[in-house]
């Protein structure tokens, strides 16, 4: 199966130019990249194969080409993000750990641009509202899922990145209602990267401030996430975490109250 899949990846990328150029093959016998329609079909197959998620470096180059390639279509971008989720869930840990920095950088870059891959980083950081078109929302959804799956399996890839915690907590209120459940699930997975014994005093203080601010938010999902993190990340004798649970115990939302009573 691995040989067939490698041939499929070669069909996807070709071997006539770029990072997949194979100089061992005579120039007249080199394969050009597949058409968008064939690439789309191949990606749908890759997203069903655990073996395809474990062929490195073809996995990372395929994600990069599908999502960020200059000739990629909207459909291919969405499938590329879907494949990134599949890889983060099914790749062997050793492979995933090796590719985690590159994958995480691409996923966070997608979120910084609001799912609009044509936007510049300057535009993304301008504070403008998130794009609400179907394509951008779908791409952000896949980016949240893939980030959560990656960090859950390789938590050290996000160690100490309190800025990312802030981004996901903010997304629980900023994203459209239909996307918030996806963000909440991903944020729950992110907690694995912020265990109290791995944080510096400054990082722990910043995280405490984030959770204390979030427990008083209007959004149910934000308060629930705050108390979940407080319970998971800090020991029983941690004063701020226990105060968050006390506040949660009188919350109007049953799920938040139950989590606070744990």
């Amino acid at each position: 199966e691995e040989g067939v899949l490698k041939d499929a990846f070669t069909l996807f990328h070709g071997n006539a130019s770029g990072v997949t150029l194979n100089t061992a093959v005579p120039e007249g016998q080199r394969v050009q990249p597949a058409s968008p329609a064939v690439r789309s079909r191949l990606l749908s197959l890759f997203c069903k194969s655990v073996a395809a998620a474990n062929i490195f470096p073809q996995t990372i180059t395929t994600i990069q080409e599908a999502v960020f390639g200059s000739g990629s279509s909207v459909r291919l971008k969405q499938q590329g993000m879907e494949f990134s989720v599949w890889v983060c869930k099914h790749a062997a840990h050793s492979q995933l750990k090796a590719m985690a920095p590159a994958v995480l950088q691409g996923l966070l870059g997608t979120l910084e641009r609001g799912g609009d891959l044509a936007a510049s980083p300057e535009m993304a950081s301008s504070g403008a509202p998130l794009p609400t078109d179907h394509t951008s929302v779908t791409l952000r959804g896949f980016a949240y899922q893939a980030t959560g799956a990656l960090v859950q399996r390789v938590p050290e890839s996000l160690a100490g990145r309190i800025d990312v915690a802030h981004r996901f907590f903010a997304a629980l209120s900023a994203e459209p209602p239909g996307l918030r459940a996806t963000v909440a699930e991903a944020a729950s997975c992110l907690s694995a990267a912020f265990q109290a014994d791995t944080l510096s005093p400054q990082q722990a203080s910043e995280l405490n401030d984030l959770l204390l601010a979030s427990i008083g938010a209007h959004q149910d999902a934000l308060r629930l996430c705050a108390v979940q993190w407080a319970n998971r990340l800090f020991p029983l004798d941690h004063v701020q975490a226990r105060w968050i649970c006390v506040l949660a115990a009188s919350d109007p939302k049953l799920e938040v109250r139950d989590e606070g009573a744990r």
Side-chain angles (χ1 to χ4, degrees):
E1 183 180 7
E2 182 176 342
V4 173
L5 285 168
K6 285 185 176 180
D7 288 343
F9 279 115
T10 299
L11 176 61
F12 184 98
H13 293 281
N15 56 15
S17 61
V19 296
T20 57
L21 173 64
N22 187 349
T23 56
V25 177
E27 186 172 352
Q29 298 177 23
R30 293 174 189 168
V31 179
Q32 295 297 321
S35 68
V38 174
R39 283 183 160 189
S40 178
R41 179 59 179 161
L42 288 170
L43 277 170
S44 68
L45 295 175
F46 294 156
C47 288
K48 299 175 184 176
S49 170
V50 173
N54 285 281
I55 298 181
F56 185 78
Q58 286 90 330
T59 49
I60 186 67
T61 55
T62 300
I63 292 169
Q64 290 173 335
E65 178 63 23
V67 178
F68 302 107
S70 58
S72 186
S73 65
V74 170
R75 173 64 175 159
L76 284 176
K77 292 179 190 297
Q78 292 177 347
Q79 288 181 299
M81 291 302 297
E82 185 178 1
F83 185 47
S84 71
V85 176
W86 181 261
V87 170
C88 289
K89 288 182 176 180
H90 297 286
H93 184 268
S94 58
Q95 174 181 306
L96 192 60
K97 186 174 181 179
M99 63 191 289
V103 174
L104 188 61
Q105 181 180 7
L107 293 172
L108 295 179
T110 299
L111 294 175
E112 285 177 1
R113 291 168 171 80
D116 181 0
L117 300 181
S120 66
E122 292 77 15
M123 290 176 61
S125 61
S126 65
L130 293 170
T132 57
D133 60 281
H134 177 73
T135 299
S136 296
V137 171
T138 300
L139 289 176
R140 291 204 303 275
F142 282 129
Y144 287 124
Q145 288 183 58
T147 304
L150 174 62
V151 174
Q152 188 174 40
R153 297 189 61 200
V154 191
E156 60 269 28
S157 64
L158 201 63
R161 291 289 304 273
I162 306 297
D163 61 308
V164 178
H166 274 277
R167 178 181 301 166
F168 273 68
F169 272 69
L172 286 168
S173 57
E175 288 290 1
L179 191 54
R180 289 177 192 169
T182 300
V183 180
E185 183 178 353
S188 179
C189 295
L190 249 62
S191 65
F194 298 97
Q195 294 297 323
D197 58 356
T198 67
L199 301 176
S200 69
Q202 180 179 350
Q203 291 168 344
S205 177
E206 291 177 9
L207 186 57
N208 283 330
D209 292 343
L210 172 62
L211 299 183
L212 285 168
S214 300
I215 195 63
H218 293 296
Q219 292 79 13
D220 297 341
L222 197 48
R223 299 195 308 277
L224 178 61
C225 194
V227 70
Q228 286 175 337
W229 279 45
N231 278 334
R232 292 174 185 172
L233 303 185
F234 297 102
L236 289 174
D237 59 356
H238 189 274
V239 176
Q240 290 94 333
R242 300 291 67 79
W243 175 241
I244 289 171
C245 291
V246 169
L247 295 175
S250 60
D251 196 274
K253 188 73 172 179
L254 176 61
E255 289 177 284
V256 181
R257 292 200 305 272
D258 287 346
E259 184 67 30
R262 290 189 177 183

